[in-house]
Amino acid sequence: MRNLWIFISKYNAFFLFVIFEVSALFILINYNSFQKATYISSSNQITGLAYQKVGQVTEYLSLATVNDSLARENARLRSELRSSFYIDTLTKKSIADSVYKQQYTFIVAKVINNSVNHRNNYITINRGSKDGVQKDMGVICGSGVVGFVVNTTDHLANIQSVLHKKTKVSAMLADTRDLGSFLWGDNLDPHQGLLIDVSNNVKPRIGEAVVTSTLSSLYPAGIPIGKISNLHAKEGGMFLNMEVSLAVDYSKLEYVYVVVNRLAMEQKQVEATRVKDE
Amino acid sequence: MSRTILINVLRFFVLVFFQVFLFKNITLYDLSIPYPYILIILLLPFETPNIVLFPVAFITGLTIDAFYDTPGLHAAACTLLAFVRISFINITVQKDGFDNDPEPTLSIMGFRWYFTYILVLTLIHHFFLFNLEVFRISELQYTFVRFLLSSLFTVFLMLLSGLLFYRKRER
């Protein structure tokens, strides 16, 4: 027993190293697979507060660009108003339209923490579960797709950005509506991404827009992702792969919209029963 | 003694602040990311017992992780750093030749030792950190370039800070 004690105290550095290293790796692996260790993240009380305070200061520095982008978005929305279309029929009828039912609503939120230069990037916003934000909701901004919510606290939420090793967005080519998957390339360029698994008979052209597909339960269909910039990104074999230049400048995100899909639960339930049947 | 603790606690908060709100936003050409916060562990006094050193390293890593949303990643790298630090100091430093709690700073240890010290420890820390973050063999080459350039940047910043707090002393 005494010898054992001498042995341990002689090599105490090694034993302490093993204990702490194993616990660190345990946290790392656990978080990656289940995203359970939510208390060590930028949406907990202390780190969230710190980011919020510094965000209030830096907000002033980017007011000009925010104004600019809001004005542009206003202009775009105004152009979609009924009043800005020329009506060429003479008769006017008002019909209580029951065909269209509101499926998506949007919660506006401000970005208080953001990064683009890591392998896995996350964004923190100042809306949380008390404002109706829940896990697995999509997040978009005025110019395109941003990511989806991975965890929430009462007043803050954490978003896994599109610029992440594990984010995959169901996408399609805007003109031909051919499906593919969008993911971030491995060269860590925050302005480039990859569209993969497009079937081989499609003939895409450079400059064609890539948008979210109709299959996703996270985003409405047709939200822009980017434009095709290069057709021969990697040898795909059975499928075509291409490079996409992203529509959103992620380093300048200020305001985002959380997508509340009223049918998301139903879609999940339906798809879950299908898996059980198989 | 209490002055040493105070200085180290202060250094912890200052370095975490700079790391999270300044260096987190700095990248050169999408390749070079500095992590000078490891000075918190590098500059602890020689006499720090292992039972204190490892928890300090672990907590430093977890604090950075909380801000970077990467639980466990920096904690693992910092724990490794603490272990390498112990071995490196055991090999290169004779502990008897000093009067009162010496620290591994530029002013006390001289340029040559200090430079080797931060270079070796930064290289090991960054290599472990970047490969654990990516964890994919297919990106090894790109990760290697990022690791080398980031280490260069970090060492440069740490040398600058060493010169900034340089005090000429009788050795």
Side-chain angles (χ1 to χ4, degrees), chain A residues 41-55 112-113 124-126 153 156, chain B residues 21 66-67:
Chain A
S41 76
S42 67
S43 56
N44 80 17
Q45 283 191 341
I46 300 163
T47 51
L49 186 74
Y51 273 131
Q52 224 158 6
K53 290 287 172 220
V54 174
I112 59 169
N113 174 32
T124 314
I125 56 171
N126 68 344
T153 55
L156 298 169
Chain B
F21 294 114
F67 283 99

Side-chain angles (χ1 to χ4, degrees), chain B residues 143-167:
Chain B
T143 312
F144 200 73
V145 176
R146 283 178 72 210
F147 142 69
L148 275 183
L149 291 174
S150 301
S151 307
L152 209 67
F153 198 178
T154 308
V155 168
F156 174 70
L157 285 172
M158 294 202 295
L159 272 184
L160 274 191
S161 76
L163 289 171
L164 198 64
F165 294 100
Y166 188 80
R167 272 173 299 172

Side-chain angles (χ1 to χ4, degrees), chain A residues 58-79:
Chain A
T58 51
E59 195 186 1
Y60 282 101
L61 302 175
S62 53
L63 275 182
T65 36
V66 171
N67 274 347
D68 203 38
S69 74
L70 286 180
R72 247 183 289 129
E73 196 175 350
N74 272 348
R76 188 176 62 77
L77 292 176
R78 203 168 283 253
S79 71

